[in-house]
Amino acid sequence: MNLRVVPELSPVQAGASNGPTRVPSFHILTKPIGPICNLNCTYCFYLEKERLYPDQARWRMPDDVLEAYIRQYIDGQNVPEISFAWQGGEPTLLGVDFFRKAVALQRKYAGGKKIHNALQTNGTLLDDEWCQFLSEEDFLVGLSVDGPREMNDRYRVDKQGRDTFDDVMRGLSFLRKHATAFNTLTVVSRSNGDHPLEVYRFLKSIGSVVHQYIPLVERPADADAKRQNLDLAAPPILDGRTESPAVTDWSVRPLQYGQFLSAIFDEWVRNDVGETFVQLFDVMLGIWCGLPSSLCVFSEKCGVALAVEHNGDLYSCDHYVYPQYKLGNVLSQTLADMVASPQQRKFGGDKADTLPQYCRQCEVRFACNGECPKHRFMTTPDGQAGLNYLCAGYKHFFNHIDPLMRTMARLLQDEQPPARIMEILRLQTR
């Protein structure tokens, strides 16, 4: 799991007049080691992707795939800055030399564009060599940690079932030693979902100034998944059919998630605006200012945040790494053409086209837009398929933050810093 940004969605015409319509930019989560990881997190939806490649002997992106991917990713986007996101599995298993090679290829094909790199890691393998390299090459590191020891170790265990908190904190010590830029990614589960302030204050205490909170929602395998030897159900097909509403025991409850976010927002908005940055709050402030969502899950349409596997296979999204969502391979097709393909355009448009009427009439649709299609397996009160599992939580959260988001949006419109909201709230409580 990782932060996913949304490039500009408007297509532009590329090439000849009868050529494919392409988007000027897109975002790809790069899986250079596929699902291979040194941990065995209970809730991880990606570990089982190993079963989709039963004949794979070596889980490492080959040199020809790496070069083709980097060249196409840079060449295929009509923007001055390109952002690479590396994850897995656990990408540090590849060793530092793999990423030295990747950076060298980026320089070779940059063509004057500025290149950014982000690496998502569980942190357990970080050491001096890793963090010196990451700092020198200006990588942004996303560190996965679910809160204090007891919350992190509830699900985040190694292959022998052992706790990982101490290993993560050791990795963090190397990040801090080398002044490596990092943020934290926290999966909000049924376990830590009742402890929002403990989680938030812990992350601040370890030096994280940028927080990502990702809701954990997974469903047990249905018949289709079992035929593919998988333990979790694939995302719903947004065609009006009813899906199973059952979720795993570790999935966060809808209202629990909304209350988790609201509690953190209440503390943040009174004390930490401008000093601690919560990805979701920043995204929402942009939306309240009338801007498009910078996070794919809240955009009206999707389809420009994809995933590439270790062998060069491109998929519609990292939550949709299933055979039916494979778009092709970088050794036989270009990334730009696959992103612009009718299959992918339909995938992105389905999010808006299949939104239930109940959602279209919702007072917070402007902020939500149905959220991630992966979570839209519930039925609306009037019986229409496609309601988001987290609907009750998002309604609670968006309505809760609305008055103060409006105030911060007005501050920005008046060319004042949003952090002034803290002064306003202090004056109101005198």
Side-chain angles (χ1 to χ4, degrees), residues 174-191:
F174 287 108
L175 291 172
R176 299 178 72 168
K177 174 182 176 182
H178 291 272
T180 309
F182 77 95
N183 60 33
T184 49
L185 185 149
T186 299
V187 175
V188 184
S189 67
R190 197 168 301 183
S191 178

Side-chain angles (χ1 to χ4, degrees), residues 23-288:
V23 294
S25 64
F26 45 89
H27 184 68
I28 296 180
L29 292 181
T30 316
K31 310 276 191 174
I33 197 168
I36 303 305
C37 188
N38 61 322
L39 300 191
N40 192 31
C41 300
T42 306
Y43 57 59
C44 183
F45 73 96
Y46 215 80
L47 289 176
E48 67 177 15
K49 302 302 179 186
E50 186 174 350
R51 303 172 200 169
L52 298 179
Y53 292 91
D55 299 324
Q56 189 66 50
R58 189 166 184 257
W59 293 89
R60 182 187 184 91
M61 184 172 279
D63 289 350
D64 59 337
V65 174
L66 179 66
E67 184 162 5
Y69 169 64
I70 288 176
R71 174 177 53 79
Q72 292 180 32
Y73 192 50
I74 295 171
D75 290 347
Q77 303 190 66
N78 186 27
V79 290
E81 299 188 16
I82 306 292
S83 296
F84 284 82
W86 307 91
Q87 59 166 245
E90 176 48 47
T92 59
L93 286 169
L94 290 165
V96 177
D97 284 344
F98 176 90
F99 288 94
R100 289 195 178 106
K101 184 181 302 179
V103 168
L105 289 168
Q106 290 171 346
R107 290 185 177 127
K108 177 180 178 180
Y109 293 108
K113 297 179 181 179
K114 185 173 178 58
I115 307 297
H116 302 278
N117 283 286
L119 182 140
Q120 187 66 38
T121 177
N122 58 45
T124 61
L125 301 179
L126 295 178
D127 56 17
D128 281 318
E129 182 185 17
W130 262 113
C131 292
Q132 182 175 343
F133 164 79
L134 295 168
S135 293
E136 289 175 350
E137 298 298 342
D138 200 26
F139 273 61
L140 172 63
V141 175
L143 182 68
S144 297
V145 57
D146 288 353
R149 179 186 300 274
E150 64 277 9
M151 297 181 201
N152 183 80
D153 291 343
R154 176 66 179 85
Y155 298 121
R156 299 190 63 80
V157 296
D158 67 13
K159 297 296 187 183
Q160 288 74 43
R162 297 174 300 201
D163 297 345
T164 62
F165 182 81
D166 288 335
D167 292 333
V168 176
M169 292 300 102
R170 184 180 64 253
L172 173 62
S173 72
F174 287 108
L175 291 172
R176 299 178 72 168
K177 174 182 176 182
H178 291 272
T180 309
F182 77 95
N183 60 33
T184 49
L185 185 149
T186 299
V187 175
V188 184
S189 67
R190 197 168 301 183
S191 178
N192 63 0
D194 288 332
H195 308 281
L197 295 185
E198 272 189 77
V199 172
Y200 178 68
R201 292 168 184 169
F202 167 77
L203 295 176
K204 286 176 56 182
S205 76
I206 63 171
S208 175
V209 296
V210 180
H211 303 185
Q212 299 177 56
Y213 296 106
I214 309 299
L216 176 57
V217 181
E218 298 294 347
R219 294 183 297 150
D222 55 13
D224 287 342
K226 289 176 181 177
R227 278 194 291 271
Q228 297 181 68
N229 194 30
L230 300 176
D231 298 321
L232 300 172
I237 300 172
L238 300 180
D239 62 355
R241 73 179 69 179
T242 301
E243 297 276 344
S244 169
V247 296
T248 59
D249 292 341
W250 51 84
S251 295
V252 67
R253 297 183 179 90
L255 188 56
Q256 181 187 34
Y257 183 58
Q259 291 171 338
F260 178 96
L261 295 175
S262 296
I264 292 176
F265 178 84
D266 287 348
E267 173 140 329
W268 171 83
V269 79
R270 286 166 173 78
N271 304 296
D272 299 324
V273 181
E275 295 185 2
T276 300
F277 299 88
V278 178
Q279 176 203 37
L280 180 56
F281 302 166
D282 286 350
V283 172
M284 288 303 126
L285 182 55
I287 290 174
W288 255 261

